[in-house]
């Protein structure tokens, strides 16, 4: 597979004398298989030059697949300037995460309404197909595309493209599920040092990949003031890639405030960190124009994961969710996050009240605070798991106790996710949507 970078900047395009080396265009990576299939990972402003290059080099109609991680501006602003869309006969498939409040077509049309752009989406001459993807394995153009939700304040997919005996994973925008990993060095095949199941899944997703392209927008010093913004540090990316036996790691989604000298420093620190931890992974910062080949590396394919069907967006609305927290402000915030997604939300202020409500009617999902007076969340969880009617009830734990012991205890007690306070409305909404998708697939409610 050939991989070319057309945009490596996060958040907003940042051209100028300070970003000449690593580039100022926002996220866009081209992946071409030996069989000629073309995948475009994100359509940030870098997609303009990529579109021009595809038209200049191609003969005959083009067929490309765009894999959008999500629809924040820095990942879609190049879409209206991607000139292959303006050529009749070209076939463009646009994929993005399912489970968003509006359809992928509606969201992309929004930025092309006449107030913002002179050509509306319906006027584009190319043949465009929209596909909303869930987690799982998708076969496209002779390649295997694996998708998995990331941790970001929006529904966001990470992708792993497997073709030609090689694998490339693209993991932008993402932040650690748990603020700190354990200080033990992660060892391949042992995910012990990772306390949060979300981080363990994330490492498994990149297991043995030839190349991982990973968000590393912030330095470890910057991260504490940017928590919940949805981005990683180089230390996190290096630790997980090292533990997953990744051959090469390219850090990307460079912060607009980081000039070339700063990004070079990040690269130096990341390499030093990998060396100190004893990882064999090669680490660099991605730059615009970087063009590399990922050779076959004999990696076994990841096992196929169950697929979610396309109708999820509607199916995932209107769930009955019970929020249990003794703090009325947290309940109000959670209610706001969940009613926006069309769910009906009920509230309980104690474990006892929650158990009584659940006894009357089992909800579709429970959001449960761990630290409550009288009866803590872990005790409530234990009672629910011991009863047949609620043994499989998906429970998202909400807590300020994000230390190693409590996080492990939460997962061992059967929580499916562990959200740390303070959280933001879009963050909680995205985490609950991802949990609902998974639990519905596993329960067979979506027939997948
Ligand atoms: Zn971004
Ligand atoms: Zn984003």
């Amino acid at each position: 597979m050939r991989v070319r970078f057309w945009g490596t900047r996060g958040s907003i395009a940042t051209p100028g004398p300070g970003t000449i080396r690593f580039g100022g265009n926002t996220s866009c990576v081209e992946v071409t298989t030996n069989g000629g299939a073309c995948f475009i990972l994100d359509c940030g402003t870098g997609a303009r030059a990529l579109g021009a290059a595809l038209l200049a080099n191609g003969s005959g109609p083009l067929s490309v697949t765009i894999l959008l991680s999500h629809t924040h501006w820095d990942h879609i602003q190049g879409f209206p300037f991607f000139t292959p869309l303006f050529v009749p006969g070209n076939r463009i498939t646009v994929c993005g995460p399912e489970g968003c409040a509006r359809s992928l077509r509606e969201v992309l049309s929004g930025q092309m309404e006449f107030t913002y752009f002179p050509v509306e989406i319906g006027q584009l001459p190319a043949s465009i197909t929209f596909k909303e993807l869930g987690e799982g394995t998708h076969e496209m153009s002779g390649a295997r595309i694996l998708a998995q939700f990331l941790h970001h304040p929006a529904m966001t997919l990470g992708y792993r493209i497997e073709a030609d005996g090689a694998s490339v994973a693209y993991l932008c925008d993402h932040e650690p599920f748990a603020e700190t990993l354990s200080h033990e060095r992660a060892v391949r095949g042992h995910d012990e040092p990772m306390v949060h199941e979300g981080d363990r899944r994330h490492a498994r997703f990149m297991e043995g990949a030839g190349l991982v392209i990973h968000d590393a927008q912030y330095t470890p010093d910057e991260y504490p003031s940017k928590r919940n913004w949805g981005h990683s540090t180089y230390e996190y990316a290096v630790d997980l890639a090292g533990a997953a036996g990744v051959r090469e790691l390219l850090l990307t989604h460079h912060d607009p405030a980081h000039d070339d000298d700063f990004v070079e420093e990040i690269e130096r620190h990341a390499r030093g960190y990998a060396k100190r931890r004893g990882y064999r992974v090669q680490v660099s910062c991605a730059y615009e124009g970087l063009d590399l080949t990922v050779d076959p590396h004999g990696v076994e394919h990841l096992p196929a994961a169950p697929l979610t069907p396309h109708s999820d967006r509607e199916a995932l609305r209107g769930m009955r969710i019970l929020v249990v927290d003794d703090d009325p402000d947290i309940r109000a915030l959670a209610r706001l996050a969940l009613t926006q997604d069309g769910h009906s939300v009920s509230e309980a202020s104690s474990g006892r009240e929650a158990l009584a409500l659940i006894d009357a009617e089992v909800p579709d999902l429970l959001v449960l605070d761990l630290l409550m007076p009288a009866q803590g969340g872990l005790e409530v969880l234990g009672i629910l798991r011991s009863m047949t009617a609620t043994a499989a009830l998906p429970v998202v734990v909400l807590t300020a106790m994000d230390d190693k012991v409590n996080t492990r205890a939460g997962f061992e007690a059967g929580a499916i996710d562990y959200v740390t306070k303070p959280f933001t409305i879009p963050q909680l909404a995205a985490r609950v949507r991802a949990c609902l998708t998974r639990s519905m697939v596993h329960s067979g409610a979506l027939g997948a």
Side-chain angles (χ1 to χ4, degrees):
M1 274 187 284
R2 183 180 180 189
V3 179
R4 283 198 282 184
F5 286 81
W6 297 86
T8 58
R9 193 61 52 179
S11 308
I12 189 166
T14 317
T19 57
I20 287 168
R21 174 152 183 240
F22 289 94
N25 280 301
T26 58
S27 302
C28 182
V29 181
E30 175 194 11
V31 177
T32 315
T33 67
N34 295 348
C38 175
F39 295 99
I40 298 170
L41 294 157
D42 279 332
C43 245
T45 60
R48 190 199 64 79
L50 166 57
L54 287 172
L55 288 183
N57 300 332
S59 56
L62 284 173
S63 176
V64 302
T65 303
I66 297 173
L67 299 168
L68 297 175
S69 60
H70 63 312
T71 53
H72 281 162
W73 274 345
D74 49 328
H75 301 258
I76 61 165
Q77 276 183 326
F79 183 79
F81 296 91
F82 184 67
T83 39
L85 291 165
F86 293 80
V87 180
N90 285 346
R91 289 196 314 276
I92 318 283
T93 305
V94 187
C95 305
E98 67 179 16
C100 303
R102 285 179 293 158
S103 75
L104 186 57
R105 189 184 195 281
E106 281 173 311
V107 176
L108 290 174
S109 307
Q111 73 162 352
M112 296 178 74
E113 275 177 21
F114 66 92
T115 318
Y116 308 109
F117 196 73
V119 182
E120 296 204 16
I121 208 161
Q123 299 173 318
L124 293 170
S127 150
I128 311 172
T129 312
F130 294 89
K131 276 190 189 169
E132 291 175 21
L133 305 181
E135 293 194 322
T137 311
H138 310 265
E139 302 287 340
M140 288 181 210
S141 313
R144 238 172 146 236
I145 312 293
L146 287 84
Q148 184 164 293
F149 288 121
L150 302 177
H151 183 204
H152 196 60
M155 293 307 276
T156 304
L157 281 176
Y159 294 103
R160 175 174 168 132
I161 302 175
E162 294 181 343
D164 312 324
S167 49
V168 173
Y170 176 80
L171 305 166
C172 272
D173 302 10
H174 173 79
E175 81 174 291
F177 281 91
E179 185 168 1
T180 46
L181 302 174
S182 145
H183 292 292
E184 302 154 46
R185 173 180 172 272
V187 176
R188 189 168 180 197
H190 298 272
D191 48 22
E192 269 302 285
M194 283 167 246
V195 292
H196 197 293
E197 174 56 20
D199 293 317
R200 291 197 288 261
R201 288 182 99 234
H202 192 65
R204 288 198 293 270
F205 192 71
M206 47 177 121
E207 179 69 31
L211 173 67
V212 167
I213 302 160
H214 203 287
D215 184 319
Q217 182 155 354
Y218 304 129
T219 64
D221 287 343
E222 290 168 329
Y223 181 69
S225 62
K226 316 275 187 187
R227 252 187 84 169
N228 295 340
W229 291 22
H231 301 288
S232 296
T233 64
Y234 63 80
E235 288 187 352
Y236 174 82
V238 165
D239 268 325
L240 270 70
V246 170
R247 197 172 55 184
E248 183 170 359
L249 171 67
L250 286 169
L251 305 173
T252 191
H253 209 273
H254 307 311
D255 192 90
H258 295 169
D259 64 10
D260 287 335
D261 290 346
F262 199 99
V263 178
E264 259 175 42
E265 273 298 287
I266 287 179
E267 187 174 74
R268 200 171 62 78
H269 284 292
R271 286 176 177 168
Y273 183 73
K275 201 172 167 192
R276 282 199 305 283
R277 303 283 273 181
Y279 298 130
R280 287 166 56 191
V281 61
Q282 285 176 45
V283 189
S284 304
C285 286
Y287 57 89
E288 211 171 297
L290 174 58
D291 183 346
L292 70 157
T293 305
V294 183
D295 297 324
H297 46 90
V299 67
E300 293 151 39
H301 281 341
L302 284 191
L307 267 186
T308 48
H310 299 312
S311 58
D312 275 9
R313 195 159 38 83
E314 285 314 309
L316 280 174
R317 292 174 75 79
M319 294 288 151
R320 290 160 303 125
I321 300 181
L322 175 60
V323 177
V324 190
D325 199 304
D326 56 314
D327 181 344
D329 292 340
I330 296 286
R331 293 202 304 271
L333 200 63
R335 173 180 282 279
L336 206 57
L338 300 171
T339 48
Q340 272 178 6
D341 271 358
H343 303 306
S344 67
V345 177
S346 46
E347 296 176 23
S349 59
S350 69
R352 199 171 151 172
E353 192 186 344
L355 290 169
L357 284 172
I358 293 167
D359 195 40
E361 188 192 26
V362 179
D364 296 308
L365 184 132
L366 188 65
V367 176
L368 177 66
D369 183 27
L370 273 199
L371 192 62
M372 292 183 291
Q375 196 172 28
L378 285 179
E379 197 185 330
V380 174
L381 196 49
I383 295 170
L384 293 172
R385 289 295 175 250
S386 69
M387 298 189 298
T388 320
T390 52
L393 171 64
V395 177
V396 174
V397 164
L398 207 59
T399 180
M401 299 189 294
D402 65 344
D403 61 274
K404 209 161 110 183
V405 174
N406 276 297
T407 311
R408 283 194 204 283
F411 280 111
E412 275 161 22
I416 58 167
D417 200 0
Y418 197 105
V419 179
T420 309
K421 296 178 192 173
F423 56 85
T424 64
I425 287 177
Q427 190 190 21
L428 181 67
R431 296 279 282 270
V432 166
R433 279 184 219 148
C435 288
L436 281 170
T437 311
R438 284 180 199 137
S439 64
M440 289 174 84
V441 170
H442 291 136
S443 70
L446 290 170

